[in-house]
Amino acid sequence: MRLTNYFLPVLKESPSDAEIVSHQLMMRAGMISQSSSGIYSWLPLGLRVLKKIENIVREEQDAAGVNEILMPTIQPADLWKESGRYEDYGKEMLRINDRQDREMLYGPTNEEQVTDIFRRSIKSYKELPQLLYHIQWKFRDELRPRFGVMRGREFLMKDAYSFDLDKLQSKISYNKFFVCYLKTFQRLELKAIPMAAETGPIGGDLSHEFIIISKTGESDIYFDNKLLEQENELFNINYSEDLSGLVNSYKALYAVSDDKFNQDDFDKNVSNENQTKSKGIEVGHIFSFGTKYSEAMKANVLNKDGKQATVFMGSYGIGISRLVGAIIESSNDEKGIIWPKSVSPYDIGIINLKQKDGDITSISDSVYEKLLSAGFDVLYDDKADNPGVKFSRMDLIGLPYQVIVGNKSKNDSILEVKNRKTGDISEVNIENITSFFKNN
RNA sequence: CGGGGCGUAGCGCAGCCUGGUAGCGCAUCUGGUUUGGGACCAGAGGGUCGCAAGUUCGAAUCUUGCCGCCCCGACCA
């Protein structure tokens, strides 16, 4: 993409209503535009990041054998009356009446909807487990939206649901998602720590929040340092195998957020020098809730004995739009964003330092064409601005690599490649530019 | 929902106290000079001062009501 052809409204100063760094940088880098409190439009640069994250999440759900569906944003109130949540949910749910005065709602989540889909079709234990997910916009009318996309009212979430015959089977599904989440966050280049969370009515140890450490996080977290060093081989996961060993290696180490924190337990389980207290951002939550919805909504299957059995369910969420902010929170410097390669809106930025110099411009053009045809996503600054403007703009939007084309390129056939994260500059001959990136 | 703050040009702000021709920086447009870290010169465009009512000869400024946005807290992907 040529910058002269792009919609990239960067700002020199942060808008005064942006408080935390990710919100400021998203506004400054022209990623989002606020529509109203907690509701944002996604501009080209932001949308590319959102889509990249969405795709990684999708690929990992698919790899774990979860089926993608797409449920509507608008749901009928009747389903929620069946589960009893129509009254319980309160003002956080946006309620709408259609022209026939039917009660509808903008979905804050989809347990009812997915349970309805399940019960219409699945009648036998032989068809279990069923794992379904979708990636869809949600609306929760938060008391206080804040921090840009980190706590918006409208947000994009991946939510998955499992249906199993009993608690034991349900735990197998739970473990799949546990591991799938570890792998997903690893691919997003985030250190997300699974933390024990409140389990609700069925008890046990079947709820975890995945939290990344960040000063600006909303949760207080307490955990064993060893979790930070925990490295596991996650590339060749076989989801049909028993995953409990891997899951238990995480569960064995103490990690909780504030609502489950207990100082005595902390002291008992973690030596003093390994105790860490910090703040974190919740980016995922997995939860096994048993028969809460299946019972209310009569989601039954016939078991081996030909008897009706109420299925055990779980739900598994990842906040995709929140992750955009969360990634920036954990990866930025005073100049701007530093994108992890896996989610960067473009792989490479090219800076033409002298747009008016015909030789330098034709070198820039050819480098752009070469990298494009080699399959890279490239953002090419072909504007007529001064070098300082171009450098700071490219630093702000945070692409992992910048290819700088200037006098050296014209005189000595040298391109400078700057690593955004380290600031290191490599001199690369023009001929070798494609292979340079293929090896990086 | 309780507490606090803010609304003046695309962005950041001043002006309001003490009513009298709406201003600054950046951005934008035109012409020119520049081009290795947010350039320079000359010119130009852009705002019914959030909305409404009131007081007044006269309201960005004073009064009242409404709307919007942000921050702190309790709740949440």
Side-chain angles (χ1 to χ4, degrees), chain A residues 170-313:
Chain A
S170 185
K171 192 162 179 172
I172 292 171
S173 294
Y174 184 87
N175 285 347
K176 277 188 192 176
F177 282 100
F178 192 106
V179 172
C180 177
Y181 275 34
L182 290 174
K183 203 176 162 200
T184 301
F185 293 122
Q186 189 177 73
R187 278 191 63 190
L188 295 170
E189 296 171 53
L190 288 172
K191 193 89 202 174
I193 303 174
M195 304 210 167
E198 285 302 328
T199 45
I202 66 162
D205 56 352
L206 289 180
S207 180
H208 285 83
E209 297 171 328
F210 286 75
I211 294 184
I212 61 172
I213 298 167
S214 167
K215 301 176 289 296
T216 44
E218 293 186 82
S219 323
D220 288 312
I221 54 177
Y222 307 83
F223 61 95
D224 189 331
N225 257 338
K226 290 186 207 141
L227 274 162
L228 294 174
E229 280 100 58
Q230 182 102 340
E231 295 290 347
N232 283 292
E233 184 55 65
L234 297 174
F235 291 104
N236 290 311
I237 298 293
N238 181 346
Y239 283 101
S240 53
E241 283 174 3
D242 181 7
L243 300 170
S244 56
L246 179 53
V247 171
N248 287 336
S249 71
Y250 282 86
K251 283 187 185 172
L253 295 169
Y254 188 89
V256 300
S257 60
D258 38 14
D259 53 344
K260 249 204 155 184
F261 178 67
N262 177 303
Q263 187 69 48
D264 291 342
D265 287 348
F266 200 26
D267 293 337
K268 207 184 305 170
N269 289 293
V270 186
S271 66
N272 236 315
E273 70 272 16
N274 281 333
Q275 290 187 356
T276 303
K277 175 182 187 299
S278 184
K279 288 201 174 278
I281 301 167
E282 182 183 346
V283 289
H285 195 169
I286 60 177
F287 194 51
S288 186
F289 47 70
T291 58
K292 179 174 177 189
Y293 301 97
S294 47
E295 196 173 329
M297 296 180 68
K298 302 189 176 63
N300 304 323
V301 295
L302 288 178
N303 66 15
K304 274 187 182 138
D305 306 323
K307 298 258 166 57
Q308 293 285 350
T310 305
V311 294
F312 267 69
M313 294 175 59

Side-chain angles (χ1 to χ4, degrees), chain A residues 22-136:
Chain A
S22 62
H23 189 196
Q24 291 173 345
L25 288 172
M26 286 182 78
M27 295 298 296
R28 286 191 54 210
M31 294 176 67
I32 51 171
S33 172
Q34 183 167 11
S35 167
S36 65
S37 181
I39 303 180
Y40 294 85
S41 296
W42 292 78
L43 307 184
L45 195 75
L47 184 59
R48 283 185 76 95
V49 176
L50 189 72
K51 292 280 181 197
K52 286 237 178 163
I53 295 171
E54 180 183 330
N55 276 328
I56 288 172
V57 171
R58 175 176 288 117
E59 284 171 14
E60 292 305 324
Q61 293 291 300
D62 292 345
V66 190
N67 291 282
E68 183 169 13
I69 61 176
L70 183 59
M71 291 180 273
T73 54
I74 306 289
Q75 304 179 26
D78 287 350
L79 282 177
W80 286 68
K81 288 179 177 169
E82 253 191 273
S83 72
R85 280 209 291 182
Y86 195 63
E87 284 71 37
D88 293 350
Y89 222 92
K91 287 198 157 184
E92 216 166 283
M93 183 153 74
L94 181 63
R95 294 151 204 262
I96 309 163
N97 284 5
D98 71 7
R99 66 193 300 162
Q100 315 291 354
D101 212 31
R102 281 184 289 247
E103 293 174 278
M104 314 291 281
L105 57 100
Y106 196 114
T109 177
N110 288 68
E111 280 84 2
E112 285 79 358
Q113 190 84 61
V114 77
T115 303
D116 185 51
I117 291 169
F118 174 89
R119 69 180 175 183
R120 287 171 190 231
S121 306
I122 304 297
K123 305 292 181 191
S124 161
Y125 77 96
K126 291 178 186 169
E127 295 176 277
L128 299 181
Q130 286 292 337
L131 307 177
L132 302 171
Y133 79 99
H134 81 335
I135 296 173
Q136 179 63 289

Side-chain angles (χ1 to χ4, degrees), chain A residues 359-397:
Chain A
D359 294 335
I360 291 177
T361 293
S362 71
I363 293 169
S364 303
D365 287 353
S366 75
V367 169
Y368 175 57
E369 294 300 334
K370 260 201 259 184
L371 290 172
L372 276 187
S373 54
F376 294 104
D377 286 331
V378 186
L379 186 63
Y380 172 21
D381 186 348
D382 59 341
K383 294 182 85 169
D385 299 315
N386 283 326
V389 176
K390 294 187 168 205
F391 286 131
S392 52
R393 179 167 52 214
M394 200 60 90
D395 287 344
L396 172 65
I397 65 174

